[in-house]
Amino acid sequence: MSTNIPTGARVGAAAMAALLLATAGCRSTGGEPTLASPPSSASAAPAPASGAAWWRDAGDPLLTALIEDGLAASPEVSCRVAALRRYDLETARDARRIVSRLGRLLGDKDGQTNPAAREERVERIATRRLVLARQIAFAYVEVRRLQQDVARREALRGQYQDNAEVAQFRREAGLVSAIDGSLARSQDETARGELGFAQGRLDAAMAELARLVGAAPDALAARLGSPGTLPDPPLDPLETATPGDGGRATLAEAVLREARLTQALGEARRTARDARIAYREGAGSFAMLYVAEAAALAVELALVDARAGRVTAALNLWSAHEGAWAREGLDPIVPDPHASAEIITVTAGCD
């Protein structure tokens, strides 16, 4: 595998970096889920302004595009917006009719006969937009997590096949017992099965994300590419949550977990490498190699999960506050009294 392993100095500093990152955010450099140094105050991106569309500053242009595509393609949101526009037009039409009949007596009527009813409609649209944006973001992180899971399992297939060939050669040479060959075949077959299960989970997650954004799964998969990288929002928890916010504590915990697993992964990879060398030189058993490689993969996948958990916690914290963006385009319509009546088709029962 072509994966960079942290040096001793970087691994030793992981705990201190995690403490700093708990209040300064995290950054990533590529597909490998390693923990980077905390951003400096000059380069750290500020938290999004209150009420802003948080995903536009989340550090992932594709995530931004998918959320905006999903909001635009949502039948529920579109239907409710159309119903709101129809409500505004009907209200304005009724007001003009009353004005034309009563003249100056109601000449200052503004056409909004029931502000509370309109606000209720606007609130339902805004709430759905808020929920949908978060759903898309979390589904996107899950797809990226599973893409990396599948990629790491695929990358080890060649290594496991090589192990099986070496074990078979050593068995035929009379250097080891038949147990080595059996273990090597078991390792390869287990890896095949687990890869199949992981691919199935990825396909299901891709289908769910495609549903949320209104796209075909195959087209979405091509758009995302493989394996892709997890988003890494330039988030400062201190600027987006109050000290008592549970989401802030969750994010800090996730950062520390990622740091611990980063250190553990370096140790696990060194152990697997030494076990592989020892087996090829006849100084170790295949059972030892099997366990060492399985442990290294388990830690690597746990680190991918931890990274995804940290990103999800950051997005959850960032997006938890109600945003004015969800009410964009929902201001009352003021139709031209001289224009022909606008026809708006609304599916029955959407509002």
Side-chain angles (χ1 to χ4, degrees):
M1 289 175 52
S2 59
T3 306
N4 294 330
I5 302 175
T7 63
R10 289 175 60 193
V11 170
M16 180 61 69
L19 293 175
L20 293 173
L21 287 169
T23 57
C26 303
R27 299 188 64 185
S28 173
T29 55
E32 185 62 25
T34 56
L35 202 63
S37 301
S40 66
S41 57
S43 61
S50 177
W54 51 270
W55 65 84
R56 293 171 186 162
D57 297 314
D60 190 321
L62 185 52
L63 173 60
T64 297
L66 289 177
I67 291 178
E68 294 182 350
D69 288 351
L71 291 172
S74 169
E76 182 180 357
V77 171
S78 298
C79 185
R80 292 186 183 279
V81 170
L84 178 66
R85 293 184 62 199
R86 183 185 65 180
Y87 176 83
D88 285 341
L89 291 172
E90 289 176 350
T91 298
R93 181 195 61 199
D94 293 344
R96 289 198 304 271
R97 184 181 299 126
I98 293 174
V99 170
S100 67
R101 289 178 180 177
L102 300 182
R104 287 177 173 266
L105 182 60
L106 297 178
D108 61 348
K109 188 174 180 65
D110 63 2
Q112 183 61 58
T113 59
N114 192 343
R118 186 182 196 283
E119 179 58 27
E120 182 181 348
R121 294 167 181 266
V122 170
E123 184 63 26
R124 287 203 297 269
I125 297 171
T127 299
R128 181 56 189 148
R129 284 174 168 175
L130 289 166
V131 171
L132 181 58
R134 287 162 60 86
Q135 287 177 326
I136 293 172
F138 298 156
Y140 176 74
V141 172
E142 177 65 2
V143 166
R144 288 307 197 193
R145 180 188 74 81
L146 290 170
Q147 281 184 316
Q148 294 199 9
D149 184 303
V150 169
R152 279 153 178 75
R153 293 182 188 278
E154 286 181 336
L156 289 173
R157 287 295 315 286
Q159 180 175 306
Y160 293 158
Q161 290 172 356
D162 183 64
N163 287 347
E165 292 175 1
V166 172
Q168 181 64 24
F169 173 79
R170 291 173 61 78
R171 169 70 182 89
E172 292 174 353
L175 301 175
V176 297
S177 68
I179 293 177
D180 279 29
S182 298
L183 282 175
R185 288 191 296 273
S186 296
Q187 183 185 49
D188 187 37
E189 290 301 324
T190 299
R192 287 172 182 266
E194 290 178 342
L195 176 59
F197 285 126
Q199 185 63 55
R201 291 192 295 271
L202 172 58
D203 292 342
M206 189 73 74
E208 173 60 13
L209 178 59
R211 183 188 68 81
L212 290 171
V213 302
D218 291 345
L220 178 62
R223 187 177 179 185
L224 266 60
S226 181
T229 58
L230 282 160
D232 202 359
L235 176 68
D236 185 348
L238 294 178
E239 295 197 11
T240 57
T242 59
D245 192 327
R248 174 173 155 173
T250 299
L251 176 57
E253 202 174 291
V255 171
L256 290 173
R257 181 167 61 252
E258 185 179 358
R260 289 193 296 268
L261 285 168
T262 298
Q263 181 173 355
L265 179 59
E267 296 171 356
R269 283 176 174 163
R270 285 192 293 273
T271 300
R273 180 195 61 205
D274 292 345
R276 194 174 302 114
I277 293 174
Y279 181 70
R280 287 177 176 273
E281 293 179 350
S285 67
F286 192 86
M288 179 178 67
L289 174 60
Y290 191 132
V291 171
E293 289 186 334
L297 176 60
V299 174
E300 187 168 5
L301 296 178
L303 179 55
V304 172
D305 291 347
R307 170 92 189 284
R310 191 255 300 169
V311 172
T312 298
L315 293 177
N316 185 56
L317 182 64
W318 207 354
S319 64
H321 307 287
E322 183 175 355
W325 67 265
R327 293 171 172 264
E328 291 177 357
L330 302 183
D331 293 333
I333 294 176
V334 182
D336 183 353
H338 303 293
S340 58
E342 181 176 356
I343 299 176
I344 298 176
T345 302
V346 181
T347 304
C350 76
D351 191 34

